[in-house]
Amino acid sequence: MTEAILLVGGRGTRLRPLTVRTPKPMVPAAGVPFLTHQLARARAAGVEHIVLATSYLAEVFEPYFGDGSSLGLHIEYVTEEEPLGTGGAIRNVASRLRSGPDDPVLIFNGDILTGLDIPALVTTHETTGADVSLHLTRVEDPRAFGLVPTDATGRVTAFLEKPQSPEEIVTDQINAGAYVFRRSVIDTIPAGRPVSVERETFPELLATGAHLQGMVDSTYWLDLGTPQAFVRGSADLVLGRAPSPAVPGRCGDRLVLPTATVAPDAKLTGGTVIGEGARIGEGARITGSTVLAGAVVEPGAVVTDSFVGAGARIGERTVLTGTVIGDGAVVGPDNELRDGVRVWCDARIPAATLRFSSDQ
């Protein structure tokens, strides 16, 4: 296997305001755009040629990654004029593939952080003679996911929508968003219209007798679809819990990028990332959080499990817990923002305006 397709066209609506100005795969995680981690892991698994299926803010990708040579890859870009769904996006880039009809093509979603053993998935695909092989992972509560039961040999027997009752939970195995397709199968996907591989392509292949193989790999796996998950994923990369050859520094409690300035008595823990040119003031405490380039965290501020956008400013003594601050936003001193609060890009919150507890 030397080819892959990355599906990076989603609008990332659940991540807003992180994705107001930046496509989801380009939001920084552990100091680099998240897509960098996926590209680096694909290259480490032997992939040489990658086609990026882009749509939302498509113009951002190529200026950053170019032809991919800096990562040892050859990258091509295909932009959807209208969103085509997962299956439609795969079919839309088929003309750029070089593989023969029976060759394996790796495909993965642009919002999954995983420790998947990619060569093992390819080996499973080849040794079983499958038409499509799927990475499956086990989750404690599968109600938010589509279920993928398999037989004793790992062959997929059904694709079940999100279960609505306990009786419908027949397995804890879910589709983990990485596949190996036989090249010829891609050409059977209808062209020029939206297609979902989960709801249309896979069930139809199963109904026509195609061989769909599941491989359960329960190493690290995280869907980065929400701000809380994204912050956690970035911290896990820094801490070394999630594997990536693209983390720009040694794994540890914190990652401070060049040109950032951190006061000597500021405390950074829990996989915190401080971006280029950011400034962290005296006595600030930042835990498990991401502070992007050019942002300022003023003295005495406390930031926990939060995301501070590029160029944003957090005022003195302000407390952020589980919050997202958009690019260029200003949160004045002595505010307290708690779980789930999202401050939009360039918004202004005056001093001592919002609290979830007494100011005494």
Side-chain angles (χ1 to χ4, degrees), residues 86-88 90-91 181 184-191 195 197 201:
T86 47
I90 293 168
R91 181 66 177 85
F181 273 64
S184 57
V185 173
I186 293 175
D187 292 327
T188 68
I189 300 173
V195 180
V197 291
T201 304

Side-chain angles (χ1 to χ4, degrees), residues 209-231:
H211 181 173
L212 277 69
Q213 186 73 22
M215 187 193 84
V216 177
D217 183 323
S218 294
T219 54
Y220 186 97
W221 183 87
L222 185 64
D223 177 351
L224 301 184
T226 66
Q228 293 74 21
F230 203 97
V231 169

Side-chain angles (χ1 to χ4, degrees), residues 161-203:
E161 288 299 314
K162 296 175 183 177
Q164 303 300 310
S165 66
E167 293 75 24
E168 293 177 298
I169 302 176
V170 297
T171 180
D172 60 356
Q173 295 175 176
I174 66 165
N175 177 357
Y179 322 108
V180 177
F181 273 64
R182 187 189 302 272
R183 169 68 182 84
S184 57
V185 173
I186 293 175
D187 292 327
T188 68
I189 300 173
R193 68 169 176 86
V195 180
S196 165
V197 291
E198 300 88 353
R199 296 182 179 87
E200 183 176 343
T201 304
F202 292 157

Side-chain angles (χ1 to χ4, degrees), residues 79-342:
T79 301
E80 303 165 26
E81 299 304 321
E82 297 291 335
L84 295 172
T86 47
I90 293 168
R91 181 66 177 85
N92 192 50
V93 307
S95 63
R96 301 295 184 93
L97 298 174
R98 306 165 182 170
S99 303
D102 290 327
D103 289 339
V105 177
L106 175 68
I107 300 171
F108 47 108
N109 293 335
D111 56 0
I112 300 296
L113 177 59
T114 176
L116 168 68
D117 185 338
I118 296 172
L121 182 62
V122 177
T123 298
T124 295
H125 179 79
E126 293 177 333
T127 57
T128 60
D131 295 299
V132 179
S133 297
L134 298 87
H135 170 209
L136 306 180
T137 192
R138 292 190 171 99
V139 294
E140 288 186 12
D141 184 359
R143 289 176 297 177
F145 304 94
L147 308 185
V148 187
T150 55
D151 66 15
T153 68
R155 188 160 180 162
V156 174
T157 58
F159 290 90
L160 306 176
E161 288 299 314
K162 296 175 183 177
Q164 303 300 310
S165 66
E167 293 75 24
E168 293 177 298
I169 302 176
V170 297
T171 180
D172 60 356
Q173 295 175 176
I174 66 165
N175 177 357
Y179 322 108
V180 177
F181 273 64
R182 187 189 302 272
R183 169 68 182 84
S184 57
V185 173
I186 293 175
D187 292 327
T188 68
I189 300 173
R193 68 169 176 86
V195 180
S196 165
V197 291
E198 300 88 353
R199 296 182 179 87
E200 183 176 343
T201 304
F202 292 157
E204 287 184 0
L205 285 170
L206 209 57
T208 57
H211 181 173
L212 277 69
Q213 186 73 22
M215 187 193 84
V216 177
D217 183 323
S218 294
T219 54
Y220 186 97
W221 183 87
L222 185 64
D223 177 351
L224 301 184
T226 66
Q228 293 74 21
F230 203 97
V231 169
R232 176 184 156 198
S234 177
D236 285 347
L237 283 162
V238 174
L239 292 166
R241 295 171 180 165
S244 171
V247 176
R250 291 187 298 176
C251 292
D253 225 19
R254 67 185 203 171
L255 173 64
V256 179
L257 296 187
T259 73
T261 57
V262 179
D265 64 344
K267 188 174 183 180
L268 312 178
T269 59
T272 286
V273 182
I274 307 299
E276 297 269 4
R279 291 187 288 120
I280 310 301
E282 294 82 1
R285 290 183 287 138
I286 306 179
T287 303
S289 299
T290 293
V291 178
L292 292 192
V296 176
V297 177
E298 295 184 349
V302 179
V303 181
T304 305
D305 299 337
S306 296
F307 195 105
V308 178
R313 178 178 288 269
I314 309 303
E316 294 184 37
R317 297 172 302 279
T318 280
V319 177
L320 305 181
T321 304
T323 62
V324 176
I325 310 300
D327 295 346
V330 176
V331 181
D334 298 307
N335 283 289
E336 180 191 9
L337 307 182
R338 298 193 64 82
D339 300 319
V341 170
R342 306 184 190 207

Side-chain angles (χ1 to χ4, degrees), residues 68-85:
S69 56
S70 63
L71 294 169
L73 292 163
H74 175 60
I75 298 177
E76 294 188 68
Y77 306 83
V78 177
T79 301
E80 303 165 26
E81 299 304 321
E82 297 291 335
L84 295 172

Side-chain angles (χ1 to χ4, degrees), residues 334-356:
D334 298 307
N335 283 289
E336 180 191 9
L337 307 182
R338 298 193 64 82
D339 300 319
V341 170
R342 306 184 190 207
V343 177
W344 238 245
C345 299
D346 298 323
R348 297 289 186 271
I349 298 179
T353 300
L354 296 174
R355 295 195 66 83
F356 283 74

